[in-house]
Amino acid sequence: MVCLDPILNDGSFTAGEKPPATGSLIVFENVFHRYPGRGKQPPTEAVYDFSAALDPGSLVCLLGPAGCGKSTVLNILAGFEKPSQGRVLVDGKEVKKPGPDRGMVFQESNLLPWRKVMENITFGPDLAGEPKKATLKKAERFIKLTGLSGFENHAPYELSGGMKQRVALARAWISEPPILVMDEPFGALDAQTRLDMQELLVRVWEKTGSTILFVTHDVDEALFLADRILIMSPRPGTKILDLTLPLPRPRVYENLVVNPQYATLKREILLAMRRPDYAI
Amino acid sequence: MIGSSVSPGLSPGLSPGLAVLISVSSVLLFLGAWYVCGRLELLSSAILPPPEEIWYTTVDILRFGYHQIPLWKHVGVSLLRALTAFALAICAGVPLGLAMGLFPVLSSALEPFVQFFRPLPKIALIPLAILWLGIGEVSKIFLIFLSTLFTVVVGSAASVKTVSRGKLRLGAALGTNSWQLIYHIILPASLPEIFTSVRLAIGVGWTTLIASEMVAADSGMGWMVMNASSYMRTDLVLLGIILLGVTGYLLDYALVLIERLAVPWAGKE
Ligand SMILES: Nc1ncnc2c1ncn2[C@@H]1O[C@H](COP(=O)(O)OP(=O)(O)OP(=O)(O)O)[C@@H](O)[C@H]1O
Ligand SMILES: [Mg+2]
């Protein structure tokens, strides 16, 4: 590993290395994923020897170019896909199937159009058979927090894209899962809304203390949100850089962009993304 | 402009009032042309009676009935047969189709039968229906039922496949068990498609009405058409055709209204 700055690379380990397995909430152990090709088409190597260990309570961003296998890594953690090799441990137990301990926020909002906004948010607790009254109270808190007051009884198709995404966030947050898995949830939002949502995410994360794995291909978003950034190479995706951000919190975006540390980190990331071989 | 209203959902489309106005005018225009053809004696009235003759026939039939049976009874009898068959076909076909969509084993087991019967002309089954079920109402309802059933089954089975992977994954991530997944995600998500297939099926079933009323009937719109044709009463044949068409149209419209109430989100995602 070529290091521009030693402090940027602490906690990193390169492909093939055994990840530390103790004290981590989520552990990816040499995960490979290959999608079988259809008919005569060759199979797609999506993820190649991906390893990482995430501390409980951390907010980790997975950063990489389009099609590099970020969603695949998330889907394996969520239990939607089985790795073709390697395994993922959550709390020391191997992931076999999806479960409510890992809240999901998808790239699309995936709201249920036959449920009103409020009913979408309470869907998880309703399924778990939790008492209606307590659920409604919690839901109201998240409605307020996400700025959806007044839209409780709207249908999802009566909302803007940004509002839909906020409903999806509230739906994932209401159950306060120990792990939140987020796949480019703000990818389709305008810059203004996106900043609001990022700040909201950090606020809720600080309050709930959940562990978040957040996928993005936006370097600034990763730098604003993360404790730690994992950077993936183009497909087949493997980890090429593992940065622990020394940026203090609370972070204010306007101040962050003129912070010299921020500039150095961004340069490091951009270099790694443009020259994957250079970083490894 | 035609060019701007080609793509559904993209252009604002016509206002409802204008749309109705255009439809009504086009029907009036058609009737006018038909009337003029009659006036100019372009066609003999045995081949195509002019609209006013059909009007007189209608008034006559309304007063005296056809074969001593009032017109509303002919319409009512046909509707009763068809609606009974539709209700039975929907009650049996939707659950069966959904089950086939959900369980591949069931689908593989039933698929050959469904695909055999669905395109089969139901008229071919008339002798068997009479043999097994007699010449009463049951065999008539049975024929309409069969022709509706298989379209409903195929459509409902296919509707399960249209549930997006995202919604299924959402359900799984929130910890649904199998029944919750079916009840809270798959069923409501398939509903718009199920409605479409029911509309199609009822269209198919309605066309079987005449075939079913060929089974020793003595009333009904289909029977009226067949009976009138054997007396060369083209005016009555046309009246029957108009009644069959309008009733079918109204049935479909009723379904559209129910669909709007039941699945207001259809096509809005
Ligand atoms: N279900 C699938 N079947 C076959 N190939 C797939 C499937 N899903 C993803 N792939 C392939 O795997 C590779 C990685 O896809 P993935 O969705 O993980 O990328 P990504 O990093 O999330 O991209 P993006 O930023 O565009 O969302 C791609 O080349 C894609 O073509
Ligand atoms: Mg993706």
Side-chain angles (χ1 to χ4, degrees):
Chain A
M1 164 89 62
V2 178
C3 295
L4 291 180
D5 182 343
I7 62 152
L8 299 181
N9 285 304
D10 59 328
S12 71
F13 42 88
T14 45
E17 212 174 292
K18 269 268 165 276
T22 46
S24 306
L25 182 59
I26 303 167
V27 178
F28 293 93
E29 264 183 17
N30 308 99
V31 171
F32 291 73
H33 195 73
R34 160 189 301 163
Y35 291 103
R38 262 186 311 119
K40 286 216 172 74
Q41 284 174 344
T44 308
E45 298 285 349
V47 178
Y48 189 86
D49 200 8
F50 181 88
S51 294
L54 314 191
D55 293 336
S58 58
L59 201 173
V60 178
C61 280
L62 193 57
L63 184 65
C68 75
K70 304 182 295 295
S71 296
T72 306
V73 169
L74 281 204
N75 287 334
I76 291 171
L77 170 59
F80 298 138
E81 298 275 358
K82 262 198 175 40
S84 10
Q85 238 184 83
R87 54 183 195 155
V88 179
L89 305 175
V90 169
D91 222 357
K93 283 189 282 294
E94 187 172 343
V95 169
K96 296 269 194 219
K97 57 179 177 35
D101 59 324
R102 283 148 288 149
M104 293 287 300
V105 181
F106 301 87
Q107 211 160 347
E108 318 82 38
S109 54
N110 278 333
L111 300 183
L112 306 179
W114 51 89
R115 289 181 156 250
K116 301 195 166 83
V117 165
M118 181 60 116
E119 296 166 333
N120 264 284
I121 295 175
T122 60
F123 189 37
D126 287 351
L127 287 171
E130 279 171 31
K132 214 71 213 143
K133 228 167 131 187
T135 304
L136 279 181
K137 214 162 159 195
K138 262 200 281 184
E140 260 147 37
R141 215 177 74 222
F142 282 105
I143 288 210
K144 225 178 254 146
L145 206 60
T146 47
L148 287 165
S149 302
F151 290 90
E152 293 89 340
N153 291 315
H154 277 57
Y157 50 83
E158 295 171 318
L159 304 182
S160 74
M163 292 165 85
K164 280 185 201 157
Q165 210 55 28
R166 277 182 271 165
V167 178
L169 283 179
R171 177 177 59 192
W173 279 332
I174 191 172
S175 312
E176 294 182 18
I179 296 172
L180 257 181
V181 183
M182 310 179 78
D183 194 353
E184 299 187 41
F186 311 144
L189 304 183
D190 62 281
Q192 166 79 55
T193 315
R194 177 189 279 245
L195 276 180
D196 292 346
M197 303 297 289
Q198 289 167 351
E199 278 171 4
L200 182 62
L201 173 65
V202 172
R203 272 217 315 279
V204 174
W205 168 66
E206 284 172 340
K207 246 188 239 167
T208 57
S210 55
T211 309
I212 299 181
L213 183 58
F214 186 105
V215 161
T216 179
H217 54 234
D218 179 342
V219 180
D220 292 311
E221 181 167 71
L223 282 167
F224 178 72
L225 292 175
D227 289 334
R228 182 171 157 205
I229 302 180
L230 309 176
I231 294 156
M232 287 177 77
S233 68
R235 196 178 61 79
T238 191
K239 198 175 69 181
I240 52 172
L241 194 62
D242 186 337
L243 291 177
T244 301
L245 303 190
L247 301 169
R249 293 183 196 271
R251 295 176 192 166
V252 180
Y253 196 76
E254 295 81 347
N255 302 340
L256 203 59
V257 290
V258 292
N259 181 334
Q261 242 178 341
Y262 178 92
T264 317
L265 286 164
K266 187 165 176 180
R267 177 165 186 275
E268 168 93 342
I269 292 168
L270 290 174
L271 280 173
M273 288 177 88
R274 305 236 295 188
R275 294 275 316 275
D277 48 324
Y278 165 88
I280 297 174
Chain B
M1 253 181 23
I2 292 174
S4 62
S5 46
V6 174
S7 24
L10 290 183
S11 59
L14 303 173
S15 73
L18 186 61
V20 171
L21 188 72
I22 293 178
S23 299
V24 170
S25 330
S26 100
V27 171
L28 288 180
L29 204 68
F30 173 79
L31 289 178
W34 186 3
Y35 176 78
V36 171
C37 279
R39 260 316 161 74
L40 299 176
E41 294 184 16
L42 291 177
L43 290 167
S44 92
S45 93
I47 289 177
L48 184 70
E52 71 268 28
E53 193 181 322
I54 291 170
W55 173 249
Y56 299 139
T57 307
T58 310
V59 172
D60 192 53
I61 293 280
L62 275 175
R63 277 169 75 186
F64 305 110
Y66 185 69
H67 279 231
Q68 282 81 48
I69 298 171
L71 187 60
W72 69 265
K73 266 201 176 162
H74 286 293
V75 176
V77 156
S78 290
L79 264 180
L80 197 64
R81 283 169 189 152
L83 289 179
T84 311
F86 294 160
L88 291 173
I90 291 167
C91 290
V94 171
L96 187 63
L98 286 174
M100 283 175 68
L102 289 167
F103 306 109
V105 175
L106 190 65
S107 169
S108 307
L110 296 182
E111 189 76 6
F113 299 97
V114 172
Q115 295 306 355
F116 173 84
F117 277 108
R118 195 174 59 96
L120 192 73
K122 302 307 175 288
I123 299 182
L125 294 175
I126 288 179
L128 286 179
I130 292 177
L131 198 62
W132 294 341
L133 300 166
I135 55 171
E137 288 303 301
V138 178
S139 59
K140 297 180 187 64
I141 292 170
F142 178 70
L143 283 172
I144 307 174
F145 167 76
L146 272 190
S147 66
T148 316
L149 177 73
F150 294 105
T151 307
V152 172
V153 168
V154 171
S156 304
S159 77
V160 175
K161 303 280 181 289
T162 65
V163 182
S164 72
R165 193 173 63 177
K167 289 201 180 74
L168 295 174
R169 289 188 161 178
L170 169 80
L174 289 176
T176 49
N177 59 37
S178 302
W179 289 117
Q180 285 177 322
L181 192 69
I182 292 174
Y183 182 75
H184 287 291
I185 308 264
I186 295 176
L187 207 57
S190 325
L191 219 47
E193 282 292 315
I194 292 176
F195 262 100
T196 308
S197 70
V198 164
R199 274 180 71 189
L200 277 174
I202 284 184
V204 175
W206 192 243
T207 60
T208 314
L209 187 67
I210 292 207
S212 91
E213 290 183 347
M214 281 162 71
V215 184
D218 49 17
S219 61
M221 287 183 277
W223 170 79
M224 204 174 93
V225 170
M226 299 307 293
N227 190 271
S229 88
S230 58
Y231 294 106
M232 295 293 279
R233 288 287 307 272
T234 318
D235 55 334
L236 269 169
V237 170
L238 277 170
L239 172 61
I241 289 172
I242 291 169
L243 278 176
L244 279 167
V246 170
T247 320
Y249 191 101
L250 289 178
L251 269 179
D252 188 63
Y253 190 66
L255 259 176
V256 171
L257 291 183
I258 296 172
E259 182 178 3
R260 257 182 229 160
L261 281 178
V263 285
W265 66 86
K268 284 186 190 153
E269 271 183 272

